[in-house]
Amino acid sequence: MKLVYTLSEPQKRALALGEGETVWYCVPVDLAFDNKKKGAEVAYADSTWIIVTDLRLAVLEGDAKTAEYKLADCEKIKCEHQVYSGILTVFGRDGSTSCAARFSMRHIIRVAYVARGAQTIIDACGRGRKLSEADRVTSREYEKYCEKCGRALPGTSQCPYCDGKADMLKKFMALCGEFVGRLLLISVLLLFIAASSLLTPMVQRWFIDEALTDGSGTFTQLCWFIGISFALLVGSLSLFIWRYWLCAKLGASISMSLRRKLYHKIQGLSLSFINNRRPGELMNRVSRDTRQIREFMEGVFGDMLSTLVTMVVSLVMMFIISWKMTLLSLVFVIVVMLVTRAFWHHIRTIFHRQWLKFDDLSSSLQDIISGMRIVKSFGQEERESARFTEKTKDFAAVQKKNETFWATFFPILTFLLGVGTYIAIYFGGIHVLEGEMTVGQLVQFVTYSGYLFGPLSWMTHLPRQVMQMMTSLNRIYDVLDEEPLLADKEDSKAFPIKGAFCFENVSFGYQTYEPVLENISFSVEPGEMIGLVGASGTGKSTLINLIMRLYDVDQGKILLDGCDLRDIQMESLHSQIGVVLQETFLFSGSILANIRFAKQDATLEEVIRAARAANAHDFICKTPDGYNTYVGEHGYNLSGGERQRIAIARAILNDPRILILDEATSALDTESEFLIQQALDRLIKGRTTFAIAHRLSTLRGASRLVVIDKHGVAEIGTHNELLEKKGIYYGLVNAQLKMSETAAPAETA
């Protein structure tokens, strides 16, 4: 999302930048105060701007500066939600509060980023620290509206109404360029097909004028006519079958190529991109959109060249035979072109809306099927069925409306084009009766007019097919053109990790303007076990995500063995990290395949060794097929404790130097927890371990505990040190002890 817009020259003069002063953020807003109308009534502003420099925050309305605040005098700048709008509030160090600007919900995210950026400048100046480029807040959000036309973007990063058309055409040609050999062969076949079709009317004219009209025809002429017509028919049919086979093969190859590229690209994109897209939407882009490209290449692209050649040559021949009749016939062609052009945007809009409804329907279906166990547990089958039925009705209503429109629109165009043929027959008949044209010429003209108006009728259907293909191509390349936020640098390093971490003023938010962690600083020695403690939502799992480099920090840096995490090759980093999460995910397949997921070339002996270390070998041997036992979807054929132990075996298979434990023993029975805790006690030795646990007793072996509260590190130390401080950790321990004391008499009773 763009955070620095360009001001006009009058606006720059009104802002009056001082020497050395730099604009950090400049964004437009759309609501302004108009005190001349009923007090605080709000009116839409023509051009209101919020500008943040390294010294001040200014508001411009038009070419005039209406407000200005020195950042040195500000304590806090905050973007606040109101009813259907938002306000930018400035809190002064003297206790004053001022509303600097107002804006609709359309701009609230952008202004929230600017408010966060301004607050970063205030905090840096308050500490006497010089600003650097690392202090600049950047946005990972997509633009919601096109800057040129103002239309809402249809879930893509590029506007299909402005830059998208030419860009998509180039990408389509580049896509076809990979199969240029097949395309040339198909093109040659199409030219031969068109030629055979165009020769048929000439043969018909010769036979009618030379043999039938005056009754002087011979048996030999009849045989020649039948033989030539049959040869043209068989040749055209053979070429058509060969062309269809080549187009089908080409469409399948392009579809396969796109699916492979899409899947590979999705695997390389960051979690933030995946999480911002619904699963059904991504699935449709890989499956349905690529299928749409294949169907276009098979059924439309293959006919376009031959149709175009046939139409052009037919039009030329019609002009040669009778230019007057041709001009009369073309009147309705112009009408059809104008009508199609007028409805082009409407066709594009209604079918794009239909596809969005289908995305929503697919995502809803996947959610329900994936969560069927929860649905049945709460007895919500009827409610979910009713909810899915409503979504189906919505999609059916849109689809019915679109198909009704097309079922009406297309026959009207076909009828208008058919009128041209009737005009040709009428005036041609008059010319024959008056002796100005032979019967053969009339038949030839009518046949060519059919070759012209028939494809034109087909081409009136073409906008819908092209629109569907372009929409699919736009959605596909929206993913393919996405640049991953996390990528290896050219000089990134790969080395054996020892496990020493250093967090230096780390700040991060899944949305930059809403930080989850702020100014996190602490160090970890190799082999230490660090317990992360705190209430839910304080950022413990977020810190784990940063350690695994699933996200990059917004500010500050994380050093691993003295090297910035962003300078380490991600494959090298992840190959030396083992992860056991609270929600264990197993893939559909065998136990052996799930354990081997972390190291595909692991031997059976290595797998068994890892399973023994995770206390999983004994129960695996009791399963029907041992290590080849099928675990089912998400591992539902196994108990929670069994799934967790397989996850532990998977995590330690490649002997990681860093171990991540995110509530690894939560929600388990006592026996399973004991077995898993035994395995974990063996595994953490000699490894740098980060463990999250709400049950504080599971962190008894931790070297130090880090208490996270209010987005930052509140306390850090050993168990005894934190108890002596009698701070947040002390309160958590007492709360759990009281809960245990309360639960014990209840169980006894």
Side-chain angles (χ1 to χ4, degrees):
M1 183 174 285
K2 191 174 180 179
L3 300 181
V4 184
Y5 284 77
T6 303
L7 296 173
S8 65
E9 289 301 324
Q11 289 172 331
K12 291 179 181 178
R13 288 194 294 269
L15 182 60
L17 289 174
E19 186 177 352
E21 188 177 9
T22 305
V23 173
W24 279 60
Y25 310 99
C26 177
V27 298
V29 291
D30 54 0
L31 294 179
F33 294 103
D34 189 354
N35 293 323
K36 296 179 181 179
K37 297 180 181 180
K38 299 179 182 180
E41 183 180 350
V42 178
Y44 278 93
D46 294 330
S47 56
T48 303
W49 297 82
I50 300 173
I51 300 101
V52 176
T53 72
D54 48 357
L55 299 177
R56 54 187 169 134
L57 183 149
V59 179
L60 299 181
E61 289 187 13
D63 298 337
K65 183 167 59 178
T66 58
E68 183 177 274
Y69 308 89
K70 291 183 179 180
L71 296 182
D73 298 333
C74 299
E75 182 177 358
K76 190 174 184 181
I77 295 179
K78 187 177 181 182
C79 174
E80 298 182 305
H81 289 241
Q82 303 291 311
V83 180
Y84 301 118
S85 65
I87 60 173
L88 184 67
T89 308
V90 178
F91 298 89
R93 296 187 184 276
D94 57 358
S96 61
T97 303
S98 176
C99 178
R102 299 197 69 175
F103 38 87
S104 65
M105 298 301 292
R106 173 172 179 166
H107 293 280
I108 196 161
I109 294 178
R110 197 187 309 274
V111 176
Y113 274 111
V114 172
R116 172 65 181 166
Q119 187 63 43
T120 302
I121 296 175
I122 292 173
D123 294 342
C125 295
R127 297 190 185 98
R129 181 170 56 84
K130 187 177 180 180
L131 290 173
S132 65
E133 194 61 29
D135 294 311
R136 188 181 297 274
V137 171
T138 57
S139 169
R140 294 186 289 266
E141 294 270 344
Y142 274 126
E143 289 287 349
K144 305 297 183 184
Y145 300 89
C146 175
E147 292 184 29
K148 294 182 179 179
C149 65
R151 293 186 178 96
L153 295 178
T156 58
S157 58
Q158 195 173 40
C159 178
Y161 304 100
C162 299
D163 302 328
K165 295 179 182 178
D167 191 48
M168 282 298 107
L169 181 60
K170 291 178 182 177
K171 289 174 179 176
F172 178 71
M173 297 307 295
L175 179 65
C176 295
E178 299 178 17
F179 307 92
V180 63
R182 297 183 196 178
L183 286 170
L184 288 175
L185 180 57
I186 291 173
S187 300
V188 172
L189 291 177
L190 294 175
L191 290 176
F192 279 113
I193 292 172
S196 63
S197 300
L198 292 168
L199 285 173
T200 302
M202 296 181 182
V203 176
Q204 291 175 347
R205 173 185 173 179
W206 166 78
F207 182 70
I208 292 172
D209 288 344
E210 299 295 330
L212 295 182
T213 303
D214 56 2
S216 61
T218 63
F219 181 74
T220 303
Q221 288 176 319
L222 178 62
C223 290
W224 271 106
F225 172 72
I226 294 175
I228 293 173
S229 298
F230 183 76
L232 289 173
L233 177 62
V234 172
S236 177
L237 184 61
S238 300
L239 292 173
F240 181 81
I241 294 173
W242 191 12
R243 190 275 305 171
Y244 184 81
W245 179 79
L246 288 174
C247 285
K249 187 176 180 181
L250 175 63
S253 299
I254 291 177
S255 178
M256 180 188 69
S257 175
L258 285 175
R259 283 197 187 101
R260 185 179 66 250
K261 290 178 180 178
L262 270 173
Y263 186 78
H264 179 74
K265 186 68 175 186
I266 290 173
Q267 292 290 325
L269 290 174
S270 58
L271 273 180
S272 58
F273 177 86
I274 305 299
N275 293 336
N276 287 334
R277 305 291 176 134
R278 300 188 67 178
E281 180 185 349
L282 291 175
M283 289 173 61
N284 282 334
R285 298 194 188 202
V286 176
S287 57
R288 190 189 66 180
D289 288 331
T290 54
R291 184 181 71 245
Q292 191 69 44
I293 301 296
R294 175 182 59 80
E295 292 174 352
F296 178 84
M297 297 302 295
E298 291 177 1
V300 180
F301 184 77
D303 293 330
M304 289 179 66
L305 181 60
S306 62
T307 300
L308 183 62
V309 171
T310 302
M311 289 174 60
V312 171
V313 176
S314 297
L315 185 61
V316 172
M317 295 301 296
M318 288 170 64
F319 269 107
I320 293 173
I321 296 171
S322 175
W323 63 272
K324 292 181 180 180
M325 289 172 54
T326 304
L327 291 178
L328 288 172
S329 302
L330 291 178
V331 171
F332 287 93
V333 175
I334 298 174
V335 174
V336 169
M337 292 175 65
L338 293 175
V339 172
T340 304
R341 177 62 181 172
F343 281 90
W344 176 267
H345 175 68
H346 180 67
I347 294 171
R348 182 188 193 115
T349 302
I350 63 176
F351 282 102
H352 185 75
R353 186 183 301 120
Q354 178 177 325
W355 284 31
L356 291 178
K357 288 287 185 182
F358 188 75
D359 281 346
D360 184 47
L361 188 67
S362 300
S363 295
S364 178
L365 178 62
Q366 186 191 28
D367 289 343
I368 293 171
I369 292 177
S370 300
M372 188 57 70
R373 187 177 183 182
I374 302 298
V375 173
K376 288 186 175 295
S377 299
F378 287 92
Q380 297 296 319
E381 295 93 336
E382 293 297 328
R383 187 178 71 86
E384 289 301 324
S385 296
R387 191 165 69 92
F388 185 76
T389 300
E390 287 300 316
K391 289 183 178 292
T392 306
K393 287 181 179 179
D394 290 343
F395 174 68
V398 172
Q399 190 177 37
K400 179 182 177 181
K401 182 179 178 181
N402 293 352
E403 296 303 330
T404 301
F405 165 80
W406 194 254
T408 306
F409 182 69
F410 182 68
I412 292 175
L413 296 183
T414 304
F415 171 76
L416 291 175
L417 290 172
V419 173
T421 303
Y422 297 130
I423 291 176
I425 295 173
Y426 174 76
F427 286 101
I430 293 176
H431 289 326
V432 171
L433 293 175
E434 293 176 351
E436 298 177 3
M437 179 182 289
T438 66
V439 176
Q441 285 178 318
L442 176 59
V443 171
Q444 184 183 17
F445 186 89
V446 172
T447 305
Y448 279 134
S449 67
Y451 286 169
L452 176 64
F453 297 127
L456 279 175
S457 178
W458 173 80
M459 289 186 72
T460 58
H461 199 75
L462 190 62
R464 173 181 178 177
Q465 296 168 317
V466 172
M467 194 65 260
Q468 290 176 338
M469 186 276 295
M470 292 294 286
T471 302
S472 293
L473 202 62
N474 192 22
R475 287 157 53 89
I476 288 171
Y477 273 98
D478 181 58
V479 177
L480 293 179
D481 292 342
E482 180 71 19
E483 292 296 331
L485 295 177
L486 305 179
D488 287 332
K489 299 179 181 178
E490 293 183 0
D491 57 347
S492 56
K493 305 172 184 177
F495 55 87
I497 293 174
K498 296 179 180 178
F501 278 90
C502 182
F503 297 81
E504 297 182 358
N505 297 316
V506 171
S507 295
F508 172 79
Y510 296 102
Q511 307 299 339
T512 311
Y513 62 88
E514 292 181 349
V516 178
L517 298 172
E518 289 188 281
N519 299 320
I520 300 291
S521 296
F522 66 94
S523 297
V524 179
E525 296 298 324
E528 271 196 296
M529 178 180 179
I530 302 297
L532 301 176
V533 182
S536 297
T538 54
K540 302 185 299 297
S541 295
T542 300
L543 187 60
I544 293 298
N545 289 337
L546 295 178
I547 292 171
M548 293 189 291
R549 210 196 164 196
L550 299 180
Y551 299 89
D552 273 341
V553 299
D554 293 331
Q555 294 174 323
K557 56 185 176 180
I558 301 176
L559 301 178
L560 175 56
D561 295 339
C563 182
D564 194 318
L565 214 59
R566 291 166 290 194
D567 296 331
I568 302 175
Q569 286 185 9
M570 286 194 289
E571 183 179 356
S572 173
L573 174 66
H574 292 154
S575 66
Q576 300 181 72
I577 295 179
V579 184
V580 183
L581 301 176
Q582 179 180 3
E583 297 180 3
T584 303
F585 183 90
L586 298 183
F587 296 93
S588 297
S590 66
I591 294 176
L592 179 64
N594 272 280
I595 296 177
R596 270 184 178 162
F597 186 79
K599 187 180 179 183
Q600 296 295 322
D601 58 348
T603 63
L604 182 60
E605 289 76 12
E606 290 176 318
V607 172
I608 294 175
R609 192 182 307 118
R612 287 184 182 277
N615 280 344
H617 179 71
D618 291 342
F619 91 80
I620 292 175
C621 292
K622 294 177 183 178
T623 56
D625 297 315
Y627 281 86
N628 292 319
T629 300
Y630 181 73
V631 300
E633 188 76 19
H634 299 295
Y636 285 150
N637 291 341
L638 304 175
S639 69
E642 290 169 343
R643 290 199 300 270
Q644 200 76 314
R645 278 177 274 172
I646 289 177
I648 294 173
R650 178 173 63 190
I652 64 172
L653 179 62
N654 58 352
D655 191 23
R657 299 303 306 153
I658 302 170
L659 193 60
I660 306 293
L661 307 175
D662 188 353
E663 294 285 354
T665 60
S666 65
L668 297 177
D669 59 87
T670 304
E671 182 181 358
S672 296
E673 182 183 357
F674 175 74
L675 292 173
I676 291 173
Q677 194 62 53
Q678 269 189 333
L680 293 178
D681 289 342
R682 291 195 297 267
L683 300 178
I684 62 176
K685 294 178 180 179
R687 294 183 172 91
T688 301
T689 305
F690 293 89
I692 298 175
H694 288 107
R695 199 179 305 170
L696 301 180
S697 59
T698 61
L699 297 176
R700 62 181 182 272
S703 307
R704 285 183 296 162
L705 300 173
V706 176
V707 182
I708 300 178
D709 186 58
K710 295 180 180 179
H711 311 301
V713 175
E715 298 173 355
I716 186 168
T718 64
H719 171 76
N720 292 332
E721 290 173 350
L722 295 182
L723 287 180
E724 291 176 0
K725 288 183 178 179
K726 295 189 176 181
I728 296 174
Y729 181 75
Y730 178 82
L732 292 173
V733 172
N734 282 336
Q736 289 199 5
L737 288 174
K738 290 179 181 178
M739 288 178 62
S740 300
E741 292 171 358
T742 304
E747 291 176 0
T748 303

